[in-house]
Amino acid sequence: MYERLRVDRSTTVDRVVDALRAALFAGDLEPGTPLREQPLAEALGVARSTIREAMTMLVTEGLAVREPNKGVSVAILHPDAVADICRARFVLESAGIRAWFDADEAARERVREAMRVFAATAKDGADPEALTETHLTIHRSLVALTGSERLIATADSITGEARLALARVDALRQDARQQVASHRKLIRLLERGELDECVEELRRHLAGAEESLLEAIAMPPS
């Protein structure tokens, strides 16, 4: 009854999705770039059916779009979507901040560790992709203070869309030290228990992020 189950095939699809996702987040595949089955299959050494499944997963994640008679292409982040992403992030992350005193010590320590790793990564000339990854880990750790796996998963989905532009944002900013200082201020307010002030700082922080994202998506590909 289990003859048709294939573990290896599923694993291959996951690896292809990981490879494509990494290329998207690194900016190797610009927004609007068509994702062609045959060239991708040849480049990755897999069957076209595997590419089709991988692209379906990217569409589900909001990282690609499928249009009738046009196929699949890398999603384009529009200004309205940027504003909506930042609003959603504020709701989720401020909920985490409000949960600081109720969160367990392990969750609070993950926030501190995320800050330490970001500070260690954010040096002059830092790789934008690594900078983005460690930056987002801080914000994910804030949501995780809620203790809700569903909220964490929602946050991952939302920031996944934004990551199409975030690496470009970090490359444009060239202000790693300022970013570290901004995030340290957030964490310092948390540690002091000044939660209202921390929420307001988060609001200002995300307003700046929205402005930078809008600047990034307005720039033509290099």
Side-chain angles (χ1 to χ4, degrees), residues 24 31 43 56 73 84 102 117 132 145 208:
L24 295 176
T56 296
S73 59
D84 196 34
D102 295 324
V117 173
T132 298
L145 291 168

Side-chain angles (χ1 to χ4, degrees), residues 30-216:
E30 293 284 352
T33 301
L35 298 175
R36 307 296 187 196
E37 286 182 15
Q38 188 60 40
L40 285 171
E42 292 173 357
L44 295 170
V46 297
R48 289 182 64 173
S49 59
T50 299
I51 296 296
R52 279 196 295 273
E53 289 186 53
M55 290 196 295
T56 296
M57 292 175 68
L58 292 177
V59 170
T60 301
E61 293 177 8
L63 299 177
V65 293
R66 191 187 303 276
E67 298 180 80
N69 304 317
K70 290 186 178 180
V72 178
S73 59
V74 180
I76 297 173
L77 195 60
H78 296 287
D80 287 348
V82 169
D84 196 34
I85 285 168
C86 291
R87 281 195 297 269
R89 285 184 60 189
F90 178 75
V91 170
L92 293 169
E93 294 176 30
S94 62
I97 289 170
R98 297 291 188 194
W100 176 256
F101 291 121
D102 295 324
D104 60 37
E105 183 57 28
R108 289 194 289 265
E109 182 55 32
R110 282 192 288 273
V111 175
R112 300 177 187 116
E113 176 61 17
M115 183 66 245
R116 287 193 289 268
V117 173
F118 179 56
T121 304
K123 298 176 181 177
D124 292 339
D127 173 53
E129 189 177 358
L131 202 59
T132 298
E133 184 67 35
T134 54
H135 172 197
L136 288 178
T137 299
I138 295 177
H139 291 276
R140 189 179 194 273
S141 72
L142 293 178
V143 179
L145 291 168
T146 63
S148 170
E149 293 297 330
R150 288 173 176 80
L151 290 182
I152 296 169
T154 301
D156 287 344
S157 175
I158 290 167
T159 55
E161 293 183 64
R163 282 194 63 169
L164 291 173
L166 279 171
R168 182 180 288 187
V169 167
D170 287 323
L172 287 172
R173 278 174 169 167
Q174 296 293 317
D175 60 351
R177 292 181 183 178
Q178 182 179 335
Q179 286 301 304
V180 169
S182 173
H183 286 81
R184 277 187 172 145
K185 183 176 182 180
L186 270 175
I187 308 309
R188 188 163 56 247
L189 290 169
L190 264 182
E191 295 279 16
R192 291 176 180 171
E194 298 175 9
L195 303 189
D196 288 342
E197 292 83 353
C198 189
V199 168
E200 286 309 306
E201 181 63 25
L202 176 68
R203 191 189 303 276
R204 289 189 289 271
H205 181 90
L206 290 177
E210 180 177 346
E211 184 178 336
S212 295
L213 280 168
L214 290 172
E215 178 187 353

